[in-house]
Amino acid sequence: MHTNNKFELRSLQNSIKKSGFARWRYIFNAKNSFTGDRSSFFIELYIVNPSLSPDEVIWSDLHEVQDFKDESQLYMPQEAPSPHSYVSIRVGKYGMGGEIVQTFLPANTFSLSNKVLDVAGGAFRLEGTTLSGEMKEKGRYVSWNLSIEKMCPFIPGKMQKNMYWGAPSIKALFSGDLSFCGDLYSVEPGISFGFIDKLWGKDYPYPFFHLSCSHMSSIISGKILGASVFAVQGIYNNSFALYAEIDEIKLARQRVKNNPNFGCVVVDNKLHWTVSVPFRHYLIDIDVFCPTKEMSIRSYTCPTNPLEELQVLGGATGTGELKLYRRIKKKNLELMESVALHDVRCEYGGREQPDLE
């Protein structure tokens, strides 16, 4: 079991404070206490350019800037908004009928020590194995009180210049309670299939590519693979980070080389992610599908250019298959395991800019 928060509580670099961002993300399944229906949720903490305006939120909606112009302004010079500076807490529900509640706070409400991460005296708080918080925005109320058992940490750190990523827990067991927009949810370790990661730097990877899963079963034997997990994060210089534990075989690499193949395309109202990675004596193939109607878009503004943002289409109900092969002689491959994937977190994104001309 991994419970150390050292990576999550690592101090922000001075260069990041002046011009950069950091995002903490917690994903888990929860069960509606009244209906018994299961849903996937995420809790995000996001801070951008905190030294720029510590006492006041500087934020402008890129799409409002885009829609603001009328015909009388078409030939007038457009003044770009200032770089953003704020702390944001965002809690969302994946899937059909999903909803996101978000609040913006001044950067000086953010405090970080080697024991506690806190925003605004408890609006978001990470301490030991406990994650808690609450917020009210536009009449909608969200609160959470969760305990976390962390496993399978992957802390690669620097991916390329000014880009960093790590997963304090590729497999996390969440337990506790969540109140979300009038509904109460219970979070149970056995069905939470949780995930925690942290992304920070001066820019985002483009295209943005993410897959992760800890809910697997063997197609060959029919057994639940409770100890198996994987995560793929990128794209960094035409490569990505990979962590996989399938049965007792562990494959982990900060930067996958050897010409990995990956892609994301639309197929019949679904997004289809593919990954094929030769890894020493092994080959791992991953195919994941997620209906677009079960996904939603999240936006992250660029730290240096407020008129540019990362738009990510993401969901947590992906399904698919993972195949693990072993090389035996030259180009011959032996299938070691074929895995059915459930509750896959899957994301793909890219840059967006408005046309101000």
Side-chain angles (χ1 to χ4, degrees), residues 154 159-160 165 207 209-210 231-243 253-257 259-263 274-279 284 286:
F154 182 45
M159 307 306 299
Q160 69 183 60
W165 177 81
F209 190 104
H210 177 87
V232 175
Q233 172 68 36
I235 300 296
Y236 303 98
N237 287 339
N238 205 38
S239 188
F240 47 77
L242 168 71
Y243 181 101
R253 182 166 289 174
Q254 178 176 334
R255 289 283 300 281
V256 173
K257 300 179 181 179
N259 299 316
N261 294 312
F262 50 86
T274 56
V275 177
S276 182
V277 182
F279 196 104
I284 187 169
I286 302 171

Side-chain angles (χ1 to χ4, degrees), residues 113-276:
S113 70
N114 59 4
K115 293 184 178 180
V116 179
L117 191 166
D118 184 88
V119 178
F124 179 103
R125 185 175 181 86
L126 174 66
E127 182 176 11
T129 60
T130 300
L131 178 70
S132 60
E134 65 174 342
M135 63 175 175
K136 188 174 183 179
E137 186 68 18
K138 296 181 179 179
R140 298 176 299 172
Y141 177 76
V142 180
S143 68
W144 60 96
N145 190 2
L146 303 169
S147 295
I148 310 173
E149 182 180 341
K150 302 174 187 176
M151 292 173 282
C152 303
F154 182 45
I155 318 297
K158 186 175 182 179
M159 307 306 299
Q160 69 183 60
K161 185 179 180 181
N162 297 325
M163 294 186 190
Y164 305 82
W165 177 81
S169 183
I170 292 177
K171 180 177 181 178
L173 305 182
F174 287 79
S175 59
D177 301 296
L178 169 72
S179 174
F180 185 81
C181 298
D183 290 320
L184 298 177
Y185 294 84
S186 63
V187 186
E188 303 171 6
I191 62 169
S192 63
F193 301 110
F195 175 80
I196 303 170
D197 72 350
K198 181 181 176 183
L199 180 71
W200 75 104
K202 289 182 172 295
D203 201 359
Y204 310 101
Y206 295 103
F208 190 92
F209 190 104
H210 177 87
L211 294 172
S212 59
C213 180
S214 60
H215 186 186
M216 305 183 186
S217 58
S218 171
I219 295 175
I220 296 174
S221 68
K223 294 181 179 179
I224 300 298
L225 302 178
S228 294
V229 300
F230 83 87
V232 175
Q233 172 68 36
I235 300 296
Y236 303 98
N237 287 339
N238 205 38
S239 188
F240 47 77
L242 168 71
Y243 181 101
E245 285 191 42
I246 309 299
D247 291 333
E248 296 181 356
I249 298 174
K250 180 177 178 179
L251 311 175
R253 182 166 289 174
Q254 178 176 334
R255 289 283 300 281
V256 173
K257 300 179 181 179
N258 301 324
N259 299 316
N261 294 312
F262 50 86
C264 182
V265 296
V266 178
V267 180
D268 296 331
N269 298 318
K270 295 181 179 181
L271 257 64
H272 179 203
W273 288 258
T274 56
V275 177
S276 182

